[in-house]
Amino acid sequence: MAKSYKIKRYRHIYRKRRFSPIKAGLLLLLLAVLAFVGFSLYEPVHDFWSGKLLQRMESSSSAPEEQPEPSSQQAESLPQASEPEMAPLSGIHALYIPEEVLLSGEILPYLQNHSLPDINTVLVDLKNSAGQVLYQSHVEFVAEAGSQHAQAIDLPEVVAALQAAGYQTAGRICAFRDPIAPYAHETAAVKYENTEWTWLDNSQEAGGRPWLNPYSPVAQDYIGDLANEAVGMGIPLILIDNLQFPEGLGLDRATFGEWAASQSKADVLQDFAEKLQARLLPQGAAAIPCVSGIHLLGQNLSLPYDATNPAAIFTTSALSVQMMPALFGEVFEAEGFRLQAPATTPYETTQAVAGRALATLSEGTQLLPWIQGYTAQNLSGDFNRTYTEEEVSEQIRALREAGVDSYILVY
């Protein structure tokens, strides 16, 4: 008989096992850690097997390390990029070189015969009042107008020679008094009574000449392009002469196009001077308007400056004023200002004119005066005086006593 077995029954075999909350929390934490590690390792492992990791390591080794952006306080302490500085406008002791000397190549001998000990600058003409460009220019409008002088100088060569001799070079451009360029473009010239005819400042039989229209963008660009080119050739100071409206006969029949309806004559001259200075400033150069002392003292203003004193128009960094004593003739009177035989008293005349000029200039505008070294040919008798180094020294002394340490000497 088979042996019988007893089945032992356990009381808790079918009871659900209770899970401790602490164990559950630990398990969840473990699962979260494993998930984070797996997610973090996925990309580098994947990149390793695909070859991307090696490429990334090579590129990062060659790329410059990025620097954090400085805070506002750190940025203030960092050195800022310096803006271009304009050529210094004080202490200019210049000698003007006549056109015939410039074109003959005899500048250095002329300097030896006429220079004072403190001369440090040489002023040459770049474009004369006859409309001729006196240096070899690459401005397209020069070729179009045919205004290149037959004996035009190599300007960089002249600048280099003067620099080697210890001088800086300044240049003068006659702006709108130009009888050549007005014929090169139909919009460049002053017109006759709003027609296509070019206005002349006198009858053709009497040698009347056309003028460039100061309103014309073509005329303005022409002057600006010449100035910009000269600066690129080593000229840091550009004097702009004849920056004015026409003088002559028949001015009531001179017309300036539709531009004149929206801007006054004084405003267009001022805007052009300021734009030209802004154009040259990035190269560290200065554009200095040049005017006659006769106009600055208040005489004959209605024609060239629309009845406005040029000192009120040209408020840029400096204004060059021709104030040679002989310029004022035998007797000069304007707005209560009187000079009697001014050429005979160079010190007194320079003192009076400089004082009036300084009182007229806008605040911050420096005076760059022209002084006289020649004996006037249009004056005689009691109204003239032979000029020597003594008369030149008297003018310089008067300027320095007025606080002006710059001049342009012309013989």
Side-chain angles (χ1 to χ4, degrees):
M1 181 176 175
K3 188 178 179 178
S4 61
Y5 293 91
K6 292 184 178 179
I7 299 175
K8 187 176 181 179
R9 302 184 185 277
Y10 295 91
R11 298 174 65 182
H12 306 295
I13 190 171
Y14 299 110
R15 184 179 298 176
K16 292 182 179 180
R17 183 173 297 182
R18 295 179 180 178
F19 202 74
S20 172
I22 297 176
K23 292 181 180 180
L26 291 174
L27 180 60
L28 291 175
L29 179 62
L30 178 61
L31 291 174
V33 170
L34 291 175
F36 174 77
V37 172
F39 180 80
S40 301
L41 292 177
Y42 170 77
E43 185 176 358
V45 171
H46 178 270
D47 289 350
F48 175 79
W49 290 110
S50 63
K52 291 183 180 180
L53 181 62
L54 182 60
Q55 296 176 3
R56 188 180 304 168
M57 292 174 63
E58 291 176 350
S59 62
S60 63
S61 63
S62 60
E65 183 179 354
E66 292 186 2
Q67 298 294 331
E69 295 185 1
S71 64
S72 58
Q73 293 181 346
Q74 291 175 328
E76 291 177 359
S77 63
L78 292 175
Q80 300 296 321
S82 58
E83 295 183 357
E85 295 183 359
M86 186 186 300
L89 301 179
S90 60
I92 298 172
H93 305 147
L95 178 67
Y96 170 72
I97 303 298
E99 182 179 318
E100 61 273 15
V101 175
L102 173 67
L103 297 178
S104 68
E106 299 295 319
I107 298 178
L108 293 179
Y110 187 86
L111 279 167
Q112 293 175 355
N113 294 330
H114 296 85
S115 182
L116 299 178
D118 63 345
I119 292 294
N120 55 27
T121 303
V122 171
L123 175 63
V124 300
D125 282 323
L126 304 175
K127 174 178 172 289
N128 61 21
S129 61
Q132 298 169 314
V133 177
L134 304 182
Y135 70 97
Q136 297 169 16
S137 172
H138 303 291
V139 173
E140 291 184 6
F141 198 79
V142 173
E144 294 175 12
S147 55
Q148 185 80 79
H149 195 284
Q151 297 175 270
I153 63 169
D154 185 328
L155 187 56
E157 184 179 286
V158 170
V159 170
L162 289 171
Q163 185 175 14
Y167 303 97
Q168 76 166 343
T169 309
R172 180 173 69 153
I173 294 176
C174 291
F176 301 125
R177 186 189 293 271
D178 186 329
I180 297 177
Y183 293 116
H185 196 283
E186 60 181 6
T187 67
V190 177
K191 297 297 184 180
Y192 179 81
E193 294 188 338
N194 290 313
T195 66
E196 295 302 315
W197 292 88
T198 299
W199 175 88
L200 304 179
D201 58 11
N202 203 337
S203 66
Q204 196 166 13
E205 295 76 17
R209 294 183 168 192
W211 283 62
L212 284 172
N213 182 356
Y215 282 100
S216 167
V218 173
Q220 291 188 11
D221 287 346
Y222 177 39
I223 303 305
D225 289 346
L226 290 175
N228 189 64
E229 180 180 56
V231 169
M233 293 180 176
I235 307 291
L237 299 175
I238 305 290
L239 271 65
I240 308 296
D241 206 350
N242 302 131
L243 186 52
Q244 61 175 82
F245 279 80
E247 297 178 276
L249 302 178
L251 289 167
D252 57 331
R253 297 183 177 182
T255 51
F256 304 95
E258 58 186 14
W259 303 293
S262 58
Q263 192 175 31
S264 70
K265 293 179 180 178
D267 284 346
V268 77
L269 294 176
Q270 184 179 57
D271 286 353
F272 175 66
E274 292 175 352
K275 289 176 181 177
L276 182 57
Q277 177 59 78
R279 181 176 180 181
L280 301 186
L281 183 59
Q283 302 177 69
I288 304 176
C290 180
V291 302
S292 168
I294 292 175
H295 292 141
L296 190 76
L297 294 177
Q299 194 175 88
N300 300 333
L301 294 177
S302 60
L303 304 181
Y305 300 109
D306 198 24
T308 305
N309 193 300
I313 296 175
F314 305 123
T315 57
T316 50
S317 54
L319 184 63
S320 183
V321 180
Q322 297 170 351
M323 44 189 288
M324 301 82 73
L327 176 69
F328 301 100
E330 296 180 354
V331 179
F332 178 84
E333 290 184 273
E335 297 183 352
F337 186 83
R338 178 182 173 86
L339 297 172
Q340 178 68 37
T344 64
T345 55
Y347 172 81
E348 291 79 3
T349 299
T350 302
Q351 185 182 53
V353 176
R356 184 67 173 265
L358 291 171
T360 307
L361 294 179
S362 299
E363 184 178 357
T365 301
Q366 300 183 51
L367 176 64
L368 179 56
W370 293 61
I371 62 175
Q372 178 178 335
Y374 59 90
T375 300
Q377 301 300 311
N378 61 328
L379 300 173
S380 59
D382 296 336
F383 299 102
N384 206 0
R385 175 173 172 174
T386 300
Y387 271 59
T388 64
E389 189 173 326
E390 178 183 353
E391 283 70 24
V392 173
S393 298
E394 288 184 13
Q395 296 170 80
I396 295 175
R397 178 167 65 91
L399 290 173
R400 287 178 175 168
E401 290 177 359
V404 179
D405 188 30
S406 294
Y407 61 82
I408 299 170
L409 174 60
V410 55
Y411 283 98

